[in-house]
Amino acid sequence: MRRWMPERNLPDLLSGLYLHVFFLVGSVCLARGDRTPEQMAAIMNCSKHERHTRNYDYMEGGDVRIRQLFSRTQWFLTIDEYGNINGTQDPTNCYSILEIRTVSEGGILAIKGVKSQYYISMNRTGVLQGKKTYSETCNFKEVFLENYFNAYSSAKWTKQNGKEMFIALSQKGRPLKGRKTRKENISSHFIPMKCKEEDRRVD
């Protein structure tokens, strides 16, 4: 007895594939169109690799990124030669070049000034300070926000009510105590900006 086999119609298959691609492209365009100008600007300010890191793929293997952290209050985070943490509006300030190193899974990282070689640390009361030697107080959790900014909370300390304490720069570019910060405050929002090759030279 001859077994019945369905005949494959090549034109029908190609037509179905074409429609699938058409709807897929249309969906991507619509998704892009739904974003606000601020969201699109934030995406464009991030490098291709930085956008990819939102999938947490880079968390394994001790990933190291050289970046500037630009606050939503319009300041670049700096760590000077004395370990002081402040903000600058000069994008060429050598103390704004930071090494962001993954230290464990779940988005835990350490931030160090490339020029000063000081780590950003937060003490029990939420005060930011520079430390030459790495310790658990230098660990921060990278939080990806819905507005395409990032926030960095202490991985060791929390407020008395259990809420997180964040790295934050005020409207005047001054570091805020962690106890006065919240994830929703724009002072806690940063964009990691990829440094140009010439900006990485801090000698």
Side-chain angles (χ1 to χ4, degrees):
M1 179 181 294
R2 181 181 178 183
R3 181 179 297 178
W4 180 81
M5 294 290 291
E7 295 183 2
R8 294 187 177 182
N9 191 322
L10 184 58
D12 288 344
L13 287 175
L14 292 176
S15 176
L17 180 61
Y18 174 79
L19 288 174
H20 179 74
V21 172
F22 176 79
F23 285 118
L24 180 62
V25 172
S27 299
V28 171
C29 293
L30 285 174
R32 182 174 178 178
D34 289 340
R35 289 184 178 138
T36 65
E38 182 181 11
Q39 290 172 336
M40 293 306 299
I43 294 174
M44 294 305 294
N45 279 332
C46 294
S47 68
K48 179 179 179 181
H49 174 66
E50 202 67 47
R51 296 195 298 273
H52 175 68
T53 64
R54 293 181 179 271
N55 294 324
Y56 290 91
D57 292 339
Y58 78 105
M59 296 304 180
E60 299 178 359
D63 178 81
V64 177
R65 295 168 285 164
I66 304 299
R67 297 289 187 269
Q68 290 176 293
L69 290 181
F70 186 62
S71 170
R72 201 172 171 189
T73 55
Q74 308 299 305
W75 298 89
F76 291 94
L77 185 69
T78 63
I79 316 171
D80 68 19
E81 69 271 29
Y82 304 107
N84 299 315
I85 298 168
N86 279 296
T88 180
Q89 292 185 324
D90 178 9
T92 65
N93 187 312
C94 63
Y95 293 109
S96 69
I97 310 299
L98 307 173
E99 176 189 286
I100 303 177
R101 179 183 295 271
T102 302
V103 295
S104 66
E105 295 182 358
I108 306 301
L109 47 80
I111 304 171
K112 182 173 71 172
V114 173
K115 174 72 172 178
S116 67
Q117 291 295 295
Y118 274 96
Y119 289 93
I120 297 180
S121 173
M122 182 181 288
N123 67 17
R124 185 187 298 271
T125 61
V127 175
L128 292 176
Q129 51 197 0
K131 290 190 67 175
K132 276 289 187 182
T133 305
Y134 167 80
S135 70
E136 287 186 351
T137 62
C138 304
N139 288 347
F140 293 88
K141 182 177 181 180
E142 189 171 37
V143 181
F144 301 130
L145 307 174
E146 292 182 359
N147 60 6
Y148 293 90
F149 287 83
N150 294 355
Y152 301 89
S153 64
S154 172
K156 183 173 179 61
W157 307 116
T158 59
K159 302 177 187 178
Q160 290 182 344
N161 59 8
K163 292 188 177 182
E164 296 172 303
M165 297 194 292
F166 294 87
I167 296 175
L169 291 176
S170 71
Q171 297 286 353
K172 296 184 178 181
R174 302 299 183 191
L176 296 175
K177 286 187 176 182
R179 290 182 175 177
K180 296 183 179 180
T181 64
R182 292 189 304 165
K183 184 170 65 175
E184 297 77 18
N185 292 345
I186 65 170
S187 57
S188 303
H189 299 177
F190 293 87
I191 290 180
M193 299 182 66
K194 187 175 181 179
C195 306
K196 296 179 181 178
E197 198 63 37
E198 57 270 22
D199 292 339
R200 297 189 183 200
R201 302 191 188 99
V202 293
D203 296 335

